[in-house]
Amino acid sequence: MNALFQRCGARSIIPACNPAPHRGQAAALRLAALAVLLVVLWAIPGRALTLSLIRDAEIEHALRELTRPIANAAGVSSGALDVYIINDSSMNAFVLDGQTVMIHSGLILRLDRAEHLQAVIAHELAHITGGHLTRRMANLRGARGVAAMGLLLSTAVAAGGNGQAAAGLAIGTQSSAQRVFFGHTRAEEASADQAGIRYMARAGIDPHAMVEVLDLFRGQEALNVGRQDPYVRTHPLTSERLRAMRGYAAAYADRARDDPQADYWFARARGKLGAFLQNPRYTLRRVDARDDSSVALMQRAVAYHRMPDTEQALAHMRALEAKRPNDPYVQELKGQILLESRRFGAAVQAYARAVSLAPKEPLILAGHGRALLAVNTASSNRQALAALERARSRDPYDPRMLRDLAVAYARADNKGMASVATAERYAITGQMDTAAIHAQRAMGLVPRGAPGWLRAQDVLSAAEKAKRR
């Protein structure tokens, strides 16, 4: 595990942390709260389950590139749709709300081409446009209310605390609960099939890819429930459905066209995901040593870094830089490798270059601040504080960034704001008692009515509600 992973937490419990969030902040808020709900409802009975969200700027950019043509074909603004990855080896994908699709890493690693992933996204987007979750979400709101549910679930989140930015949950629930909340009826599946394949055809994406994805799950319905991938349990497959899909695919096949850009971004996302999740020796065996493409160079660089063999990793990064000198995600990866290899000065330079190429990307800004903190001089600490404050302004719900921000405030002798950031971090990771201690301390150090004081007050109020429950 490494800096690729970010904690999930019930972030909706701090609604006033950013009174007027832009889209990126609102997405982070929705992502965190719903991710906790997802993990709770997907827990396997009788077994502790540890899941994490995979947050990586490059992978998220690739997903946006793959999603854009489908969203446009569906008449949905691509900027209003978020696709995120859960670190789980099973094959699954599902809709969490009217704007969020979650895909398991195990499914992406099993897919062979960009059209396969786009087929998954198109099908799940069709569940959104068809309003298939509206009734379930209405029932949930009627039972407890969105804020109450977020608060309740936040108290169940266990903080990772190991520096690897992964949050764990150990919650058991009955499989019937997951089917009730996430399960789709056969009528909904047929509707999503038809709509999804139409979106693919309008976007010029090979509709046969959707049939091929469903074939991955063929025959699993006959297996014991415990051996089935979750997708089969919540997206019922039937022979009639597959026959209909083949008919739709044949009808729309003439609209398909090649999209080298989609192929490229799929290869980058899948390649990076596999390089970080799979055994590095497996990655090196799987990637042809004669392959000098940018994706292959990236995969080998990550594999060597994880072995660890820093010199080989950096040699491959130099070759990758030569191919893509103005790619911010290449510079970000270089910065991560250097930082984790304790070459702090060089890491700062790489992250600074990444920031210059992608100045609005909060994950890159946070990495730059982290590298500057590692240098730990008066000048670098001041720069780190500025970088981390910029990162927080775009994504205030990243626990790792908040941890680093608290350190930066402490080094600037701003104990009040250090306590505010610390309180928010503990609240986001569900440690409400500890969050309350730091929030109370912050309110005694920050001027009453100041933004930091109000943020601390929000945390304290959430902690008190959690305690009453």
Side-chain angles (χ1 to χ4, degrees):
M1 308 289 274
N2 49 72
L4 184 70
F5 302 105
Q6 295 294 314
R7 291 190 185 96
C8 62
R11 300 172 188 186
S12 59
I13 59 175
I14 317 176
C17 284
N18 186 25
H22 57 66
R23 178 188 167 271
Q25 295 170 340
L29 175 66
R30 184 176 66 255
L31 168 63
L34 292 174
V36 176
L37 176 58
L38 164 69
V39 174
V40 169
L41 293 180
W42 272 100
I44 297 175
R47 191 187 79 177
L49 183 65
T50 300
L51 293 178
S52 60
L53 294 177
I54 294 178
R55 298 297 312 279
D56 178 81
E58 179 177 1
I59 292 176
E60 291 179 10
H61 177 80
L63 292 174
R64 288 192 294 270
E65 290 294 315
L66 292 167
T67 300
R68 184 178 296 111
I70 304 165
N72 291 340
V76 175
S77 170
S78 59
L81 183 67
D82 295 304
V83 182
Y84 294 104
I85 302 175
I86 288 286
N87 179 28
D88 189 283
S89 61
S90 65
M91 296 191 296
N92 200 17
F94 27 74
V95 173
L96 292 184
D97 68 352
Q99 292 180 282
T100 311
V101 173
M102 302 298 291
I103 303 176
H104 280 203
S105 59
L107 178 57
I108 293 178
L109 293 177
R110 284 285 302 276
L111 301 179
D112 296 323
R113 55 194 181 104
E115 293 91 340
H116 288 158
L117 182 52
Q118 289 175 310
V120 171
I121 295 169
H123 182 90
E124 299 306 326
L125 176 58
H127 280 305
I128 292 176
T129 58
H132 297 162
L133 281 183
T134 302
R135 184 170 57 257
R136 294 177 183 83
M137 294 306 294
N139 290 339
L140 177 62
R141 285 193 294 270
R144 294 178 179 172
V146 173
M149 176 60 82
L151 183 60
L152 176 66
L153 295 177
S154 74
T155 63
V157 179
N162 58 3
Q164 296 173 339
L169 279 175
I171 298 176
T173 188
Q174 295 299 318
S175 61
S176 59
Q178 68 185 20
R179 287 196 293 271
V180 167
F181 192 79
F182 287 108
H184 296 293
T185 67
R186 291 178 180 179
E188 288 174 346
E189 287 306 306
S191 172
D193 287 343
Q194 295 178 44
I197 214 161
R198 285 199 306 271
Y199 301 156
M200 294 176 70
R202 290 174 192 164
I205 301 168
D206 181 10
H208 284 100
M210 189 173 287
V211 178
E212 293 168 359
V213 170
L214 291 179
D215 278 338
L216 285 174
F217 301 97
R218 192 176 184 180
Q220 283 207 12
E221 286 188 317
L223 298 177
N224 179 280
V225 171
R227 297 177 59 197
Q228 293 174 348
D229 276 298
Y231 191 92
V232 175
R233 300 197 295 272
T234 58
H235 295 65
L237 300 171
T238 64
S239 57
E240 291 82 3
R241 180 183 169 198
L242 285 170
R243 279 198 297 271
M245 288 295 289
R246 292 189 181 99
Y248 299 143
Y252 292 119
D254 59 340
R255 304 190 190 184
R257 59 180 181 269
D258 292 334
D259 186 350
Q261 277 296 103
D263 294 337
Y264 173 71
W265 284 110
F266 172 75
R268 280 185 72 160
R270 186 180 183 278
K272 190 171 190 180
L273 196 62
F276 272 108
L277 290 177
Q278 296 168 332
N279 187 292
R281 295 190 183 279
Y282 170 80
T283 300
L284 293 175
R285 288 196 305 269
R286 186 169 174 270
V287 180
D288 190 335
R290 296 167 295 181
D291 187 348
D292 67 346
S293 67
S294 59
V295 173
L297 290 169
M298 175 270 292
Q299 289 176 287
R300 289 199 291 270
V302 172
Y304 279 119
H305 171 56
R306 294 181 62 219
M307 290 183 71
D309 186 337
T310 302
E311 295 309 320
Q312 280 277 20
L314 292 177
H316 283 81
M317 287 305 304
R318 286 192 290 271
L320 179 56
E321 277 187 282
K323 284 183 173 292
R324 300 190 64 84
N326 297 313
D327 190 322
Y329 308 113
V330 170
Q331 295 299 319
E332 179 197 28
L333 178 58
K334 179 182 177 183
Q336 178 183 336
I337 291 172
L338 289 165
L339 178 59
E340 293 174 358
S341 301
R342 303 189 65 78
R343 303 186 183 190
F344 303 139
V348 167
Q349 294 178 13
Y351 273 116
R353 172 67 174 154
V355 169
S356 71
L357 294 167
K360 296 181 180 180
E361 173 51 62
L363 295 176
I364 292 179
L365 286 165
H368 186 210
R370 193 169 303 120
L372 286 162
L373 283 179
V375 173
N376 196 17
T377 64
S379 175
S380 70
N381 288 335
R382 285 194 298 272
Q383 295 175 63
L385 179 56
L388 290 163
E389 285 182 331
R390 287 175 61 197
R392 188 196 174 281
S393 72
R394 303 200 65 80
D395 181 358
Y397 307 105
D398 176 354
R400 192 174 190 190
M401 175 275 299
L402 288 170
R403 180 198 65 186
D404 294 333
L405 183 59
V407 172
Y409 278 129
R411 290 182 182 176
D413 200 28
N414 190 338
K415 296 178 181 178
M417 289 306 297
S419 293
V420 171
T422 302
E424 290 176 336
R425 175 168 67 89
Y426 280 117
I428 286 169
T429 55
Q431 301 176 81
M432 301 305 296
D433 289 343
T434 307
I437 293 171
H438 287 277
Q440 192 68 58
R441 181 172 185 269
M443 292 178 70
L445 295 170
V446 178
R448 185 179 182 86
W453 187 91
L454 294 173
R455 284 159 50 190
Q457 186 183 52
D458 290 335
V459 172
L460 190 59
S461 176
E464 290 172 350
K465 291 179 181 178
K467 188 174 182 179
R468 287 198 299 271
R469 287 183 177 276

